[in-house]
Amino acid sequence: MKKDRPLIFISNDDGYQAKGLNQLIEMLRPIGRLVVLAPDSARSGYSMAMTSDRPVTYKLVRKEEDVEVYSCSGTPVDCVKLAFHALFQDVKPDLVLSGINHGDNASSNVHYSGTMAVVIEGCLKAVPSIGFSSCNVDKNADFSCYESLVCNLCSIVLEKGLPKDVCLNVNFPLSPSSQVKVCKQDWGNWHQEWERCSRRDGSQYFWLSGYYESNEPENEDSDRWALEHGYVAITPVTVDVTAYHFMDDLRNWIEK
Amino acid sequence: MKKDRPLIFISNDDGYQAKGLNQLIEMLRPIGRLVVLAPDSARSGYSMAMTSDRPVTYKLVRKEEDVEVYSCSGTPVDCVKLAFHALFQDVKPDLVLSGINHGDNASSNVHYSGTMAVVIEGCLKAVPSIGFSSCNVDKNADFSCYESLVCNLCSIVLEKGLPKDVCLNVNFPLSPSSQVKVCKQDWGNWHQEWERCSRRDGSQYFWLSGYYESNEPENEDSDRWALEHGYVAITPVTVDVTAYHFMDDLRNWIEK
C-alpha cells in the first residue's frame, strides 16, 4: 500500500455485502487506501451494543489494490474496536466512515442506529468520523448520484479535521438532491411501537413496528424538516452528552 | 392500586433477578406504585439496541400490593417500549428508573450502557428518568446504604421534573459515600480492548476486554474524577446530541 494516501476505515450495520457499503467503497477508491470491516449480516437497530458474552471473529473476504474487505461476527461497534485493535494497532486511520445505510438515521434515530454507532465509536477514538444514510430503504437503491457530495465532504474533513467531540450524521432525502443543509436533531416520538399478535393458546408476542412523528414539524432547523423538503441533512453530533445547560440548576437542587 | 401515588417504571440491563434491581424496588416501595419490566437475563453492553428480527414476549413473575414485576425476552430499550405500549398505554408513568447496575456507567460508558439506555428511552418519551449504577461489580454488592440518597433524588425529580431533553446518570463510588457531586462526562479511552486467543488450526478469536483511562485525570468536574475521589457522581445527560457549537463552522465549510 502507498503510504502517502489517507487511510480510511469503513463499516456499517447492513453487513459487508450491502449495496450502500459497496457504493461507498467505489466512491472513496480515488481518495484513499480503504480498510473495510463490517458485520457478516444485517445488524440494524443494534445501536452501540458490544459483544461480551462470546468471542468475536473476522475474516478477509476481498483484497484488491488499496481495498481490503473483512467480515465480522460481531456488532457495528465490535467492528470498529476490532479493526483498531487487530488491523491498525498503533496506526490510526485518517477517517472513519459508515454506510451508506438503507434507511435514515436522522432525529432520535441516531440513538438506535448501528450506522451512527460506528461513527460515534470512531469519534470516541479521536478519529474524524462521518455516517451516511438515506431515506430510501430499498436494498437495491442507487446512491451513486451522491458521489461528488460524499467525496467533497470527506476531502474537507480529511483536510480540516473535526473537533474532538464532534462527528457528522449525513442523511440523504428520498429523491436525489444536491442542496445541503446543516441541521439540528429533530425532536419527535415513535408511536404504535409494537404489533401485537396472538397464538392459539392465547399467549401474545410483539413485533417492533411504529411510525415517527415530529413534535416540531415547522422547525426549519431540524434534520427531519430538511429531509422532508428535499435537502441533504448534515447534523453535527457530539459524543459528550453532558447536559451542561442543566448543571447549575441541578447543583442548586442537590445542595439545598 | 391507589391512584394518588406516583407511578414509577423500573428496568435495568442486569435482568429482573439482579440484586441491584430488587434493592431499588425495596427503596422505592414507600414512594409509589411500581411497575418493573426487565430483561429475563443479563443484557450488559446492549446500549440502545432494539429487537427487530424476532418477536418479543413478556410475562408477570411477581405481584404484590403496588408492585408488579415482569420479565421480558428483549433488550433494555425493548422493555421500556413494551411497558409503555402494553402496560401503560395512554397513561405515562411519573418517573422512569434504571438499575442499580452492578458496574459504573460514567464517562463514555454512557454510550454502551443498557442501564442508561432505559433512561435515555424514558427521556425520549418525555418522562423524567434516572439511572443508578455502582462501581462495585460484585453481583452480591449491598447498595442499601444509598436508600435515602435515591429516595431524596427521586422525590425532588417527581416534584420538579426535568428539562425535556435531560435525564440523570447517577454513579456510586466503590466505597459507601454520602458526598454528592454534579459532574460532566469524563473524556477518556478504552485500551487493549480485545483478548486474542488462538485455536489449534491457527484461527483466532477475540474476547472483549480492556481498561479505561481518562485523558483528563486532573479534571475535578468529571464523573470519573468524582468516583475516584469517593463522591457519588450525578451527570446530567442530554438526549439532543446536536453539536450546536460546531454548526456555524460547518455551515462555513459547506457553503464555501
Side-chain angles (χ1 to χ4, degrees):
Chain A
M1 282 190 177
K2 301 165 207 139
K3 284 186 181 170
D4 52 344
R5 303 184 75 208
L7 177 61
I8 301 173
F9 174 68
I10 304 179
S11 191
N12 74 348
D13 72 352
D14 284 330
Y16 77 96
Q17 292 179 306
K19 183 170 175 183
L21 176 78
N22 285 286
Q23 287 202 305
L24 189 59
I25 292 172
E26 292 312 310
M27 291 176 192
L28 270 297
R29 286 182 90 125
I31 291 181
R33 298 173 290 144
L34 311 183
V35 173
V36 181
L37 194 151
D40 52 20
S41 59
R43 301 285 196 290
S44 292
Y46 265 56
S47 186
M48 295 201 61
M50 304 180 296
T51 304
S52 59
D53 60 352
R54 57 192 182 282
V56 173
T57 60
Y58 70 97
K59 63 178 179 187
L60 183 68
V61 291
R62 187 176 137 204
K63 189 172 165 67
E64 299 161 18
E65 190 183 352
D66 283 1
V67 180
E68 292 172 9
V69 180
Y70 300 84
S71 83
C72 174
S73 66
T75 68
V77 161
D78 290 340
C79 289
V80 185
K81 288 184 182 295
L82 202 48
F84 275 65
H85 180 91
L87 301 180
F88 302 137
Q89 295 167 352
D90 294 332
V91 181
K92 277 189 187 175
D94 300 294
L95 191 63
V96 167
L97 302 180
S98 185
I100 300 170
N101 193 62
H102 299 259
D104 84 83
N105 286 305
S107 69
S108 57
N109 294 337
V110 64
H111 289 289
Y112 308 115
S113 166
T115 304
M116 282 307 295
V118 168
V119 174
I120 291 167
E121 183 67 23
C123 185
L124 288 171
K125 293 188 178 321
V127 177
S129 302
I130 312 172
F132 297 100
S133 307
S134 170
C135 292
N136 193 337
V137 296
D138 182 352
K139 296 297 173 209
N140 293 312
D142 180 10
F143 302 130
S144 58
C145 61
Y146 292 114
E147 180 169 353
S148 68
L149 191 156
V150 166
C151 291
N152 286 344
L153 187 60
C154 290
S155 297
I156 292 172
V157 170
L158 277 167
E159 181 198 332
K160 294 179 182 280
L162 287 171
K164 71 165 185 173
D165 59 344
V166 176
C167 51
L168 301 183
N169 182 12
V170 180
N171 287 278
F172 302 127
L174 200 52
S175 299
S177 169
S178 57
Q179 288 190 294
V180 176
K181 202 167 188 306
V182 174
C183 300
K184 70 175 274 292
Q185 173 191 325
D186 186 55
W187 177 257
N189 285 103
W190 282 87
H191 299 275
Q192 295 180 9
E193 291 188 285
W194 299 96
E195 183 185 347
R196 186 193 295 250
C197 304
S198 296
R199 296 192 56 190
R200 283 187 199 157
D201 65 4
S203 66
Q204 299 191 311
Y205 57 97
F206 298 81
W207 288 97
L208 197 64
S209 176
Y211 62 93
Y212 178 86
E213 202 169 73
S214 175
N215 297 332
E216 47 179 17
E218 306 303 325
N219 188 338
E220 298 187 10
D221 291 332
S222 89
D223 48 15
R224 185 62 49 193
W225 187 95
L227 292 171
E228 285 177 356
H229 289 78
Y231 291 90
V232 175
I234 306 190
T235 310
V237 168
T238 178
V239 299
D240 177 358
V241 294
T242 309
Y244 289 101
H245 61 287
F246 185 59
M247 290 179 81
D248 285 342
D249 283 345
L250 189 56
R251 279 197 192 97
N252 286 334
W253 290 8
I254 304 294
E255 287 166 12
K256 276 174 189 168
Chain B
M1 282 189 176
K2 300 165 209 141
K3 284 186 180 168
D4 52 345
R5 304 183 75 207
L7 177 60
I8 300 172
F9 174 69
I10 304 178
S11 191
N12 74 349
D13 72 351
D14 283 331
Y16 77 96
Q17 292 179 307
K19 184 171 175 182
L21 176 78
N22 285 285
Q23 288 202 302
L24 188 60
I25 291 172
E26 292 312 309
M27 292 176 191
L28 270 297
R29 285 182 91 124
I31 291 181
R33 298 172 290 145
L34 312 182
V35 174
V36 182
L37 194 151
D40 52 18
S41 59
R43 302 284 195 291
S44 292
Y46 265 56
S47 186
M48 295 201 62
M50 305 181 296
T51 305
S52 59
D53 60 351
R54 57 191 183 283
V56 173
T57 60
Y58 70 97
K59 64 178 178 189
L60 184 69
V61 290
R62 187 176 137 204
K63 187 172 166 67
E64 298 161 19
E65 190 183 352
D66 284 1
V67 181
E68 292 172 9
V69 180
Y70 300 84
S71 82
C72 174
S73 66
T75 67
V77 161
D78 290 339
C79 289
V80 186
K81 289 185 182 292
L82 202 48
F84 274 65
H85 181 90
L87 300 180
F88 302 138
Q89 296 168 348
D90 294 333
V91 180
K92 277 188 186 175
D94 301 294
L95 192 63
V96 167
L97 302 180
S98 185
I100 299 169
N101 193 61
H102 299 259
D104 84 83
N105 286 304
S107 68
S108 57
N109 294 337
V110 64
H111 290 288
Y112 308 114
S113 165
T115 304
M116 283 306 295
V118 168
V119 174
I120 290 168
E121 183 68 23
C123 185
L124 288 171
K125 294 188 177 321
V127 176
S129 302
I130 312 172
F132 298 100
S133 308
S134 171
C135 291
N136 193 337
V137 297
D138 182 351
K139 295 297 173 209
N140 293 312
D142 180 11
F143 303 129
S144 58
C145 62
Y146 292 115
E147 179 170 354
S148 68
L149 190 156
V150 166
C151 291
N152 287 343
L153 186 59
C154 290
S155 297
I156 292 174
V157 170
L158 277 167
E159 183 199 331
K160 295 178 181 280
L162 287 170
K164 70 165 186 174
D165 58 345
V166 176
C167 51
L168 300 182
N169 183 12
V170 180
N171 287 277
F172 302 126
L174 200 53
S175 299
S177 169
S178 59
Q179 286 190 296
V180 176
K181 202 168 187 306
V182 174
C183 302
K184 70 175 274 291
Q185 173 192 324
D186 186 55
W187 178 256
N189 285 102
W190 282 86
H191 298 274
Q192 295 179 10
E193 292 189 285
W194 298 96
E195 183 186 347
R196 186 194 296 249
C197 304
S198 296
R199 297 192 57 189
R200 284 185 198 157
D201 64 6
S203 65
Q204 299 191 311
Y205 56 98
F206 297 81
W207 288 98
L208 197 64
S209 177
Y211 63 92
Y212 177 87
E213 202 169 72
S214 176
N215 296 332
E216 46 179 17
E218 306 303 325
N219 188 339
E220 299 187 9
D221 291 331
S222 89
D223 47 15
R224 184 62 49 194
W225 186 95
L227 291 171
E228 285 177 356
H229 290 78
Y231 291 90
V232 175
I234 307 189
T235 311
V237 168
T238 178
V239 299
D240 178 358
V241 294
T242 308
Y244 289 101
H245 61 287
F246 185 59
M247 290 179 82
D248 285 342
D249 283 347
L250 189 56
R251 279 197 193 97
N252 286 334
W253 290 8
I254 303 294
E255 287 165 12
K256 276 173 186 166

